[in-house]
Amino acid sequence: MKMLHPQRKARLERRMVGSTNRWRFPREAFSGDLLGLSQMCKALNVDFEEVLKNPDRLCISQIQKIFLGNLKNKTIPSGEADVILTCLGSKWELHQPQLFQSETLAKLFLMALAQGTTSPTKELERLLRAHLRGNVQERPPIKKMIISLKINDPLVTNVAFATALKNLYLSKVEINMNDVLGVLASAHILQFSSLFQRCVAMMMNGLMPSTIKDFYLAGCKYKEAQLTTACEKWLEMNLVPLVGTQIHLRKIPQELLHKVLRSPRLFTFNEFHLLKTLLLWVFLQLNHKIQTVPVHETVLAFFKSFPKKHSFLDQDAGQSLVPLFLCLRLHGIIKGKNLEELRHINFFPESWLIRVTANHYHALENGGDMVHVKDLATQAMRFGLLFNQEYTTHSEMIAVYGFFFEIKGIKHDTTSYSFYMQRLKHTDLGFPTLLYEHGPVSLRTERLVKYEIRAQTLVDGKWQEFRTNQITQKFGFVKPSCKSHTLKVQTVGIPIYASFSFIFPTS
């Protein structure tokens, strides 16, 4: 079918400037009206040649659009380069249209044009007219420009910078993950926004224990909030189950660790597991020569070796770490063996341990009521299940003040899951005797519980989150009262990080 009417060109909008109306812009890109550009400078009382000497006062983006518009669907130029860039002790041959993708190089070129010609205005007009015609053959001959760029960023290597410059010519140059930090830094210096965002996307998809520190610090350095947020969210899920098992834990900056510990989304199997991860981090900060993850007993022995007169956190080496350990919910450590361990390592101030012990005593004396806990989001006891690909069901048993619960996840099909908790009797078939053999057993038929179930998983670089409301329910021994609300999850993501948070309110 033939078109009856040719497509209309973009509508021009007139805007009065000074005493004329010849400064005209379409709705989007600069139209190439150089007379209008000159009028703009006159209306703003700006000398056009002075603007060329100070490109920050010139609308670089408008000139960039002229060059970049003609770059689409064009082959790599085969002619001789007309710009020489000296940088990092090397010389790089470039072509004018390509270098205008970089705002930094565009500014350097315009400054060189202003300083190297007697009439920079006419030279620029000739250059723009040639590119607006879209015919490289008609481009006026121009003296080969030499521009210089000084780089002080240690992240920028010759290989990374060469990769960045190659991206001026090719849209999809392969970037090695080992070089992505340097390419990101190069793109930042060149003000090459499309390449910068491509590197950010690569880094967000390449987060792992070995890269989390460098990628996070790069996000902070270049003020890329999207990247720093991605690092924080990734570490919230993986601090305990993944990073906490590897030597890379040592590299996590204290400031990032503090942010993650304060997050209500932090995943952990239980509070004691989180404490062990944090103790290991401190141990690795103080023992730089150790290159393998020590067993937990080695960490305990190290802290026991400190003088007994004051706890570790009261000593000079530990005072700066107090904010980290204040993020822990020590009242969530309830096993007698674990509490004894806390006392013997002499790590926490005596007042902290007395408070924890007193809270446990009062809760037991009051049938499990946690009178010291009010806010579910910041004070709840927390437990977690990491639901992996191979599971069809996965569960853990927990005991709190003589009450026994099972937290459970079930896979129904490839994308359908459910998570819930249920109260159990210690006499139920298959119930592990270790849970009650050396602990209390409550005979109360009902237990008031306030809880929330949350599940998170990563899909295509974005975190999906599923959660129940905060629910208050009386748990009995028989259905339906023994079972919590079920959190239903539909996702292709794996693994799934399921968190169960609850308190026992006053009943």
Side-chain angles (χ1 to χ4, degrees), residues 118-158:
T118 55
S119 181
T121 307
K122 291 181 180 179
E123 204 66 57
L124 180 61
E125 286 179 2
R126 290 173 61 203
L127 186 64
L128 290 173
R129 284 196 184 103
H131 285 288
L132 282 169
R133 293 190 191 104
N135 190 337
V136 179
Q137 302 294 330
E138 296 180 19
R139 194 175 69 193
I142 187 168
K143 181 183 176 182
K144 188 172 287 190
M145 289 281 185
I146 298 178
I147 59 178
S148 179
L149 177 61
K150 291 183 179 180
I151 296 178
N152 297 318
D153 193 330
L155 289 177
V156 179
T157 64
N158 280 65

Side-chain angles (χ1 to χ4, degrees), residues 358-484:
N359 288 339
H360 287 331
Y361 176 81
H362 289 304
L364 286 167
E365 193 177 48
N366 290 280
D369 292 355
M370 301 176 185
V371 293
H372 57 284
V373 174
K374 304 296 181 185
D375 183 37
L376 185 69
T378 59
Q379 297 178 299
M381 292 191 172
R382 47 192 174 183
F383 300 86
L385 293 177
L386 185 58
F387 204 95
N388 290 314
Q389 178 74 46
E390 64 271 18
Y391 293 145
T392 53
T393 62
H394 183 40
S395 65
E396 294 287 343
M397 306 287 189
I398 55 178
V400 181
Y401 301 141
F403 297 92
F404 306 100
F405 292 88
E406 178 185 34
I407 56 176
K408 192 168 187 176
I410 300 174
K411 180 178 182 179
H412 301 288
D413 56 47
T414 54
T415 60
S416 180
Y417 306 82
S418 60
F419 297 91
Y420 62 89
M421 58 187 285
Q422 60 183 352
R423 187 180 175 191
L424 301 175
K425 285 184 181 179
H426 69 285
T427 55
D428 287 346
L429 186 65
F431 194 87
T433 56
L434 287 175
L435 275 181
Y436 65 87
E437 202 169 41
H438 301 290
V441 175
S442 176
L443 300 178
R444 293 179 63 169
T445 57
E446 290 185 333
R447 174 65 261 171
L448 189 65
V449 181
K450 186 175 184 180
Y451 65 91
E452 179 184 57
I453 305 172
R454 184 195 305 255
Q456 297 173 86
T457 188
L458 190 62
V459 178
D460 295 331
K462 295 183 179 179
W463 287 98
Q464 289 183 345
E465 183 174 345
F466 308 86
R467 59 193 296 186
T468 65
N469 295 322
Q470 292 188 6
I471 300 170
T472 303
Q473 174 183 333
K474 284 185 178 180
F475 280 80
F477 286 121
V478 295
K479 292 181 179 180
S481 66
C482 69
K483 187 177 177 182
S484 74

Side-chain angles (χ1 to χ4, degrees), residues 483-494:
K483 187 177 177 182
S484 74
H485 177 87
T486 299
L487 176 65
K488 296 179 179 179
V489 173
Q490 291 285 337
T491 184
V492 296
I494 206 75

